[in-house]
Amino acid sequence: MSNAKVAFVRPPNLQKSGQWKKQGVIRCPLNIGLLASFIRERGDYDCVLVDFETTETSSITEMAEVVLAQSPRYVCMTTLTPRFPTAVRVAQEISRLDPAVTIIFGGPHVTGSPQTALYEGISYGIIGEGEQALLELLDTLEAGRDPSSVANLIYRDRNATRINDARPFVKNLDELPFPAWDLMNLDDYVDPAYFKGRHLAIFSGRGCPYDCTFCASRVTWQRKLRLRSADNVMQEIRHIVNVLGVRNLMFWDDTFAANKKRAISICNSIIEEGLDIRYTVQIRADALSDELIEALRDSGCGFAAIGVESGNERMLDNIGKRETKDRFRTAVSAMKRAGLPTIASYIIGLPGDTHETIKETMEFAMELDADQSKFMILAPYPGTRVYDIAFEKGLVDPTSFEQMEDLNYYDSVAINLSEVSDEDLIKYQDQAYEQYDAVHAS
């Protein structure tokens, strides 16, 4: 088998500003860590990882030179929509400096907008779950064969972009290797607001069975929920704690308690083994029970994040939330009684949002009074149902780099589906934080 070098690249987040930048938050590149681990184990490729969240550069050319200094035969770049324009520019500069390098794009943006993914300089794209597709593509290219039949592949056929059908998802997630943590400088990944020292992330499952109109989870995972076994999750936690020496974790599952019995089992194992970790989860309010809340608290959960989204019942119905204000009240009240810190998130500018419904959301946030509240402006990412609505209304330009870069939740409105002006949406976001901060400063 070939020992070709593959460079996995995370583009920089140029949208970091305000409090986010001030806090110095840097998350680990878990997705490309998983991909690198898989192709290294199954294909014996020589992998490196370049993280431009932690690598200081001053220009696109310098980024390209940093990547090429690794002497890769293949460059694989992950692409969230706001970072896609920068990724394209870096890819094009790499291609200009060394046309022999094969550049492969993947990630949520490519999956959500495959028809516009292959800019000049980008050799191939991969949609959906990437491990098996990337390995097959690399093996095919190394063997000198035509890759056009590789499932999940986006490729050029003369002047047309071809998008192959997606392959079935990996059935047993327990069979996948743990992330290639050895390719990263773990000390770089910090979040001073929540953790003392470095922190890492973990996926204990993939997908979400729900179908909220604003959520990009369905873009990649198609609402198909797959969970790792509790034993396999615990093996990874032990490795992170005992081998890597990291005790701060973020579970990046869309909803940690999709299987409540498994979630409680993981919590109880952490307690029984005395692992002494601090971790965070994202969870639905309707999944919370007193037993689960206590298990989370006692096993080291530093906070549970719930998506409330709106304080108006009609808006909750319209976005497919399938939860009610009373359900949120019950959940937050139970977490407060148990002493489990809560983060509640809200979306300003949902389709049809009015001055009245936005004010209801702000009032509901003050009523729930979570330990922390986040107020985000709607960002319709490609592949979501709100993006489809915006496209039908003629509000989307799939090739606009400026619009992509504005899809960042804070201080900008890229696509407005509400009945409120862009300026007022930003004002409401500022007011919501001011009101929340005023209450918690007293």
Side-chain angles (χ1 to χ4, degrees), residues 102-405:
T102 298
I103 300 175
I104 304 165
F105 270 33
H109 182 81
V110 171
T111 302
S113 189
Q115 288 286 359
T116 59
L118 293 188
Y119 281 74
E120 182 181 353
I122 302 169
S123 311
Y124 300 99
I126 289 178
I127 60 171
E129 190 168 58
E131 284 94 344
Q132 294 176 332
L134 178 59
L135 179 61
E136 183 181 351
L137 174 61
L138 294 175
D139 286 349
T140 300
L141 294 173
E142 283 297 288
R145 300 193 303 268
D146 178 8
S148 62
S149 63
V150 173
N152 296 62
L153 187 70
I154 310 172
Y155 66 99
R156 292 184 189 86
D157 181 8
R158 296 183 178 87
N159 294 324
T161 296
R162 305 296 184 190
I163 305 167
N164 289 349
D165 292 338
R167 69 191 64 218
F169 288 127
V170 174
K171 289 184 178 180
N172 184 1
L173 296 179
D174 286 5
E175 295 178 353
L176 298 178
F178 298 157
W181 296 120
D182 59 296
L183 301 182
M184 308 176 207
N185 181 358
L186 303 187
D187 290 337
D188 288 336
Y189 304 112
V190 296
D191 185 343
Y194 296 135
F195 300 115
K196 293 180 180 179
R198 56 192 182 169
H199 73 288
L200 296 177
I202 183 172
F203 281 119
S204 78
R206 294 180 178 182
C208 177
Y210 299 93
D211 194 22
C212 299
T213 61
F214 57 86
C215 184
S217 173
R218 69 190 288 269
V219 176
T220 300
W221 308 125
Q222 303 299 314
R223 297 182 64 195
K224 293 182 179 178
L225 176 68
R226 292 164 295 149
L227 300 175
R228 295 164 58 189
S229 68
D231 286 343
N232 183 253
V233 174
M234 287 305 302
Q235 288 176 27
E236 184 169 5
I237 293 174
R238 290 187 205 103
H239 177 79
I240 290 171
V241 172
N242 298 326
V243 178
L244 303 180
V246 177
R247 294 186 177 275
N248 299 316
L249 281 173
M250 302 188 84
F251 280 90
W252 281 356
D253 306 41
D254 292 308
T255 176
F256 177 71
N259 181 316
K260 195 179 300 184
K261 181 178 179 181
R262 186 198 72 131
I264 292 173
S265 175
I266 292 171
C267 293
N268 287 340
S269 293
I270 293 170
I271 296 169
E272 291 165 5
E273 296 183 26
L275 290 176
D276 188 26
I277 63 174
R278 176 181 170 85
Y279 68 92
T280 68
V281 297
Q282 299 177 109
I283 203 161
R284 280 179 63 91
D286 57 12
L288 288 164
S289 64
D290 288 341
E291 181 185 13
L292 176 57
I293 290 171
E294 291 171 6
L296 289 166
R297 178 199 64 197
D298 294 345
S299 59
C301 183
F303 67 78
I306 60 172
V308 180
E309 323 310 358
S310 178
N312 178 273
E313 297 283 10
R314 178 176 58 83
M315 298 304 296
L316 290 172
D317 288 341
N318 289 346
I319 62 176
K321 189 65 183 178
R322 293 169 59 182
E323 291 181 296
T324 65
K325 291 174 69 174
D326 279 344
R327 179 66 261 182
F328 293 124
R329 290 184 179 106
T330 299
V332 173
S333 177
M335 286 190 279
K336 285 183 177 181
R337 286 197 308 272
L340 176 63
T342 309
I343 290 181
S345 60
Y346 305 87
I347 300 175
I348 296 171
L350 289 165
D353 242 346
T354 65
H355 291 282
E356 290 71 26
T357 59
I358 293 172
K359 289 175 181 176
E360 283 184 65
T361 296
M362 294 166 63
E363 291 167 0
F364 191 50
M366 298 308 117
E367 176 192 334
L368 290 181
D369 191 28
D371 295 277
Q372 185 178 134
S373 292
K374 295 184 177 180
F375 303 93
M376 296 171 286
I377 292 173
L378 178 69
Y381 285 108
T384 63
R385 287 199 282 146
V386 289
Y387 183 90
D388 294 340
I389 293 170
F391 188 85
E392 291 169 3
K393 291 178 176 289
L395 301 175
V396 170
D397 179 355
T399 63
S400 170
F401 280 8
E402 181 179 3
Q403 193 172 71
M404 293 177 200
E405 290 173 336

